Amino acid sequence: MEHGNRALVFKEIGEFEKVLHLLLLPKPQISPGHVLVRIVLRPVHQFDLVLCSDLSVAEVFFDLSKNSETPKNTGVVAGHEGGLGIVEEIGDGVTLCSPGQRVHLDITFSYFLPYFQGSWQDYILIKEESAIPVPDKIEDDIAAQFSSNPWTVYGLCKEIDSPKGGYILITAATSTVGRLFIQLAAHEGYNIIAIVRREDVKEELISLGAVAVINSALEDVPKVVKQITNGEGAYLGIDLVGGTLTKSAAASVRDGGQVMVIGELGSGDVVISQKDLWRNVEISSWNASSYFLEKEKKEAAIKACWKLFEEGIWTLPPALKFDLSDFKQALHETRKSARAGKVLLQTK
């Protein structure tokens, strides 16, 4: 597969080992207003595994039989979280980038469109506004992970309606979203209580800015939160997990408090006690794809997120890299709960 465009494609639902295939597709041809990018680093996101294996989720985002951006009968090119590439060619009228320039692929929030082409391929043709130039100070690994999780955390922090100095708890705190949220929210003056399932990460999360770390596998989360907050509870809970952990988060916030469910790492369902409903605890959902439909919000986020990385307010753990052809090993590594840094698929 030395020529053409290698791509990881799926056209049916099931275990990724069975439904993901490395195919050789035609190399995209340049067109006016578009940029041809050679992709060098691509993040592996848990959501990619969900799209491969959960029909109910995949059907929400695209019809596998009618995808218009890949050749007929090849299915969908996987990889929803963008990545880092080098501009190889620009079409007529392109002014925002130039050949040889590093760019981040802004495709993360396009999976809800009638078509989708992912980043798990060697080349991608995108509109010029979707090729975001990378500042010189930004390392490749950071640039590859720029949109999905950082933008989510930036937008989420803009939505927080809690007093500075107030307590906010977040579940799945060792995730990339969790780590970035702790750093930014603490920087902005909130007291962050991190919920984890491992003892060995507590010291690290405290160093990132959390005021307390609770192991939900060993400790009574609502009880410990009440102790930390002098019996009042947190103002807000951010839940990335769902299921019964939503119930714990709801029991940990004050009367009239709020839990924002922004992920389903554990379950697509949420559980809440009727007792907490009586306390007027509000359960709401928030997603970044809707937030960044507004051009002004998106442009502000891009500028602010680059600055957060450049100034060291945001840091990320070292990534683990696999060649695109070693995708099965990479996806198995992504499933490991003890993994701190992101898994990246690379092309050398």
Side-chain angles (χ1 to χ4, degrees):
M1 291 194 180
E2 296 179 356
H3 304 287
N5 180 29
R6 295 181 307 163
L8 288 171
V9 173
F10 68 100
K11 55 183 176 179
E12 58 185 339
I13 299 300
E15 286 296 315
F16 66 81
E17 297 98 330
K18 297 179 180 179
V19 302
L20 263 181
H21 303 282
L22 186 63
L23 304 180
L24 190 62
L25 304 182
K27 184 177 177 180
Q29 299 299 305
I30 197 66
S31 60
H34 286 71
V35 178
L36 179 63
V37 179
R38 177 175 60 84
I39 308 173
V40 294
L41 286 173
R42 316 146 186 84
V44 178
H45 195 283
Q46 289 286 351
F47 190 68
D48 292 309
L49 306 184
V50 174
L51 284 176
C52 287
S53 61
D54 191 327
L55 180 62
S56 65
V57 175
E59 286 180 336
V60 170
F61 296 103
F62 41 68
D63 184 337
L64 296 180
S65 66
K66 298 179 180 179
N67 188 279
S68 63
E69 288 295 300
T70 51
K72 187 176 181 180
N73 297 324
T74 60
V76 175
V77 177
H80 97 283
E81 199 183 344
L84 173 69
I86 308 297
V87 176
E88 181 157 298
E89 190 176 355
I90 60 175
D92 292 342
V94 171
T95 60
L96 300 179
C97 55
S98 57
Q101 188 171 20
R102 291 190 306 160
V103 293
H104 176 80
L105 309 174
D106 175 19
I107 64 170
T108 301
F109 302 113
S110 65
Y111 49 69
F112 59 88
L113 297 173
Y115 61 85
F116 172 73
Q117 55 166 341
S119 63
W120 293 4
Q121 54 185 325
D122 286 329
Y123 295 93
I124 191 170
L125 185 69
I126 54 178
K127 294 180 180 180
E128 67 168 324
E129 57 266 27
S130 296
I132 302 175
V134 178
D136 292 340
K137 293 182 180 180
I138 301 296
E139 297 178 357
D140 286 354
D141 289 9
I142 297 296
Q145 304 175 59
F146 179 62
S147 55
S148 178
N149 293 319
W151 294 9
T152 294
V153 172
Y154 174 83
L156 185 61
C157 285
K158 289 295 182 182
E159 297 288 291
I160 291 176
D161 185 22
S162 298
K164 297 294 176 69
Y167 287 91
I168 299 174
L169 69 86
I170 183 166
T171 65
T174 57
S175 66
T176 302
V177 167
R179 293 168 188 270
L180 292 174
F181 181 82
I182 290 170
Q183 293 173 79
L184 182 54
H187 176 73
E188 294 185 348
Y190 299 102
N191 289 316
I192 308 303
I193 301 173
I195 311 300
V196 300
R197 292 183 58 84
R198 294 161 44 202
E199 285 291 303
D200 62 315
V201 297
K202 285 189 171 183
E203 185 176 335
E204 178 193 358
L205 296 186
I206 292 293
S207 71
L208 292 180
V211 297
V213 183
I214 304 172
N215 184 346
S216 63
L218 301 176
E219 301 172 85
D220 184 328
V221 173
K223 181 179 179 180
V224 177
V225 170
K226 292 293 177 63
Q227 292 172 347
I228 295 169
T229 61
N230 296 317
E232 294 184 352
Y235 279 92
L236 173 67
I238 307 292
D239 181 29
L240 286 76
V241 180
T244 56
L245 204 51
T246 308
K247 182 179 180 180
S248 292
S252 300
V253 299
R254 59 181 55 205
D255 293 354
Q258 181 186 15
V259 176
M260 298 173 70
V261 182
I262 67 167
E264 51 179 335
L265 294 176
S267 173
D269 299 319
V270 297
V271 180
I272 183 172
S273 167
Q274 188 170 353
K275 184 186 302 182
D276 294 317
L277 293 177
W278 290 339
R279 297 194 302 115
N280 295 317
V281 172
E282 177 188 354
I283 304 293
S284 63
S285 179
W286 185 88
N287 70 82
S289 59
S290 297
Y291 183 88
F292 288 112
L293 287 176
E294 296 184 30
K295 183 179 179 181
E296 294 77 12
K297 289 182 176 180
K298 187 173 183 177
E299 290 176 346
I302 291 172
K303 183 177 180 180
C305 289
W306 284 136
K307 186 176 181 180
L308 288 167
F309 281 117
E310 287 177 322
E311 294 182 349
I313 295 169
W314 269 347
T315 62
L316 289 173
L320 183 62
K321 300 173 187 175
F322 295 87
D323 186 79
L324 185 65
S325 60
D326 296 326
F327 67 94
K328 292 184 179 180
Q329 185 180 355
L331 269 61
H332 278 297
E333 187 68 31
T334 300
R335 281 182 164 174
K336 294 181 180 180
S337 61
R339 163 131 296 279
K342 180 73 82 172
V343 173
L344 302 177
L345 293 169
Q346 68 179 348
T347 301
K348 296 181 180 179

